[in-house]
Amino acid sequence: MVRMNPYLSFKDSAREALEFYQSVLGGELDVSTYGDLPEMGADPAEQGLVMHGQLETPGGLTLMAADTGSMMQYVAPTSGITVALTGGPDDLAYVTAAYEKLADGGTDVMPFGLAPWGDHYGQVTDRFGITWMFNVGTA
């Protein structure tokens, strides 16, 4: 089965971001550092940076992230990229809690609430600069 998953890029805060997302979304987090793979040729000062991190949430979302070592060019998140967290009526409490935690310290907040088209909807750019969109359908 082919899957499409968000892969977030950070300069040097991937571990902090992934641990925050785990506290928000739950799930199992697996992190590999550049030091775990010396063949990557990372600068010795960057051995603790995340080469690959993967969060598997209880609801089936896979969120991946990495730090950008000095051997690569860092590209900051843009407003054109959004992580969408969506669900149905049974997911309202989970998505509402995730929205509230991601909005804490976030910017560009569009309150999560009932939208004109009948779904619950909201948006936020979290403290790491990642833009999230939330949509929960109603019965």
Side-chain angles (χ1 to χ4, degrees):
M1 170 175 62
V2 175
R3 293 174 36 176
M4 185 179 294
N5 302 307
Y7 202 112
L8 308 177
S9 179
F10 297 91
K11 179 66 180 152
D12 59 10
S13 59
R15 181 180 300 274
E16 180 185 0
L18 283 165
E19 289 173 353
F20 173 65
Y21 298 143
Q22 182 184 30
S23 77
V24 170
L25 302 169
E28 296 295 320
L29 177 60
D30 184 40
V31 174
S32 298
T33 66
Y34 285 103
D36 295 334
L37 295 162
E39 60 272 15
M40 292 293 294
D43 182 310
E46 298 175 338
Q47 297 298 302
L49 293 180
V50 174
M51 193 278 303
H52 175 76
Q54 185 163 319
L55 175 63
E56 297 285 346
T57 70
L61 171 70
T62 300
L63 183 63
M64 297 180 278
D67 287 314
T68 305
S70 59
M71 78 288 274
M72 298 174 277
Q73 180 179 354
Y74 173 65
V75 178
T78 67
S79 61
I81 305 293
T82 302
V83 177
L85 188 59
T86 64
D90 293 342
D91 304 306
L92 182 59
Y94 179 81
V95 174
T96 299
Y99 168 84
E100 290 170 353
K101 292 173 186 171
L102 289 163
D104 185 23
T107 60
D108 300 324
V109 177
M110 174 184 283
F112 185 68
L114 202 55
W117 57 89
D119 292 354
H120 293 86
Y121 181 84
Q123 291 180 206
V124 66
T125 300
D126 71 25
R127 64 179 88 170
F128 297 98
I130 304 300
T131 301
W132 293 77
M133 176 182 71
F134 307 86
N135 192 89
V136 176
T138 54

